Amino acid sequence: MSQTATTTENSRARTWRHYLLGWIVLGGVSIGLAIVLRVFALGIYVIPTSSMEPTLMAGDVVLVSKIRYGIGLPPVVPFTDIVLTSPVRWWWRKPKRGEIIVFRFAYHAQFPSEPDYFVKRIVGMPGDTLWVVGDSVLSRPPRPLRPLPTQQYTGRVIIPAAGMTVPLSVSTIPYWRPFIEREGNQVEVTRNLVLINHQSRAEYTFEQDYYYVLGDNRKRSFDSRWWGFVSAVDIVGSPALVLWSKSPVLGTMRWERTLVVPQ
């Protein structure tokens, strides 16, 4: 083989190596960008129940904006089961009353069969006091006003806010306990004392803001009335677009719901 032919073969081999390397780099960059977008910017979720109908229907596939309110670490470390009690986040703005949010459900210890993520509408803001009776949220307290046995967070509802201090006692700790524990604390009750991290406490100051949420279809919604409040750090984002929808009962496509913007 002549020197010219050898040189040509080497040149072709280098060209193919460079070509292949370029595709590998492009593929790696594309995968990296997709992971970054999936973790920090956008998500796709399937609505499992009718609790938000008619706004969102069971079987809707929704695109969720994770940067509507801010940017930062999600409530669960990506690709692990590690829950962050205080993830780093920079807020553009805080969620507002009436907005729909997607959030991590933080109370599986009480309700282990529930899904990992919920979508509901905000009806109560951090620091609010609400009067919730059945499916209604009232502006003034009616009489009589008692929570239903299965709905602890009805009647007079006080929503925690960052910096709010609440008194603790054996009688009040069942109300506050899930949220104190959500902030990474250990709560115990012994000999008529409330212990937080093994120290007797008569009050607690919250570190996070919390929200009271209900489903639009309130008669068929498992929401704040049963389990309490959504911590700000558990908010993933807000539904931006219904990509498509398929009836979970009939198995048919709902073409009229394609590219619908939830309100």
Side-chain angles (χ1 to χ4, degrees):
M1 182 179 296
S2 67
Q3 183 177 0
T4 301
T6 302
T7 302
T8 301
E9 290 291 334
N10 291 339
S11 177
R12 288 176 178 174
R14 286 194 298 269
T15 299
W16 275 105
R17 284 197 296 270
H18 291 159
Y19 183 77
L20 180 60
L21 180 61
W23 275 105
I24 291 173
V25 171
L26 180 60
V29 171
S30 299
I31 292 172
L33 286 175
I35 291 174
V36 169
L37 286 173
R38 179 68 178 83
V39 171
F40 296 105
L42 298 171
I44 296 177
Y45 296 84
V46 180
I47 304 300
T49 71
S50 61
S51 69
M52 281 297 294
E53 291 183 354
T55 309
L56 292 170
M57 301 182 70
D60 283 356
V61 179
V62 298
L63 181 69
V64 174
S65 170
K66 296 182 179 182
I67 57 175
R68 180 174 185 181
Y69 302 120
I71 189 171
L73 295 176
V76 180
V77 176
F79 313 113
T80 76
D81 295 324
I82 301 173
V83 176
L84 301 176
T85 56
S86 299
V88 176
R89 180 177 293 181
W90 294 270
W91 297 86
W92 319 131
R93 70 173 182 85
K94 295 298 181 70
K96 297 178 181 178
R97 193 188 316 272
E99 292 182 339
I100 303 173
I101 57 172
V102 176
F103 56 92
R104 171 186 170 269
F105 184 65
Y107 309 111
H108 282 109
Q110 298 167 266
F111 307 100
S113 63
E114 294 302 318
D116 291 334
Y117 293 91
F118 279 25
V119 54
K120 304 291 179 187
R121 191 181 297 276
I122 296 173
V123 300
M125 299 293 288
D128 279 357
T129 296
L130 305 179
W131 290 271
V132 182
V133 180
D135 300 328
S136 301
V137 179
L138 307 177
S139 59
R140 63 182 63 182
R143 294 289 186 268
L145 184 63
R146 295 188 181 93
L148 296 177
T150 57
Q151 296 181 344
Q152 181 174 4
Y153 299 95
T154 58
R156 182 173 182 256
V157 177
I158 301 173
I159 306 173
M164 176 188 287
T165 300
V166 297
L168 300 180
S169 67
V170 173
S171 61
T172 63
I173 193 61
Y175 186 96
W176 300 116
R177 182 172 190 161
F179 323 113
I180 296 173
E181 291 178 335
R182 176 61 190 93
E183 296 190 353
N185 301 290
Q186 182 180 350
V187 179
E188 302 170 274
V189 178
T190 180
R191 296 182 180 178
N192 292 323
L193 296 176
V194 175
L195 306 180
I196 298 180
N197 302 324
H198 309 294
Q199 295 184 351
S200 177
R201 298 283 295 275
E203 61 183 23
Y204 179 79
T205 301
F206 282 96
E207 299 175 0
Q208 304 292 339
D209 284 330
Y210 291 80
Y211 298 83
Y212 191 90
V213 297
L214 298 177
D216 287 358
N217 185 6
R218 294 181 183 179
K219 292 185 182 299
R220 304 190 65 180
S221 177
F222 182 63
D223 47 39
S224 285
R225 291 172 290 183
W226 278 267
W227 42 260
F229 314 112
V230 179
S231 171
V233 299
D234 285 322
I235 296 175
V236 174
S238 180
L241 193 68
V242 178
L243 298 176
W244 68 85
S245 182
K246 185 177 182 180
S247 170
V249 177
L250 302 177
T252 56
M253 295 295 293
R254 303 187 186 108
W255 298 111
E256 70 280 4
R257 293 195 57 76
T258 302
L259 303 183
V260 169
V261 179
Q263 299 293 332

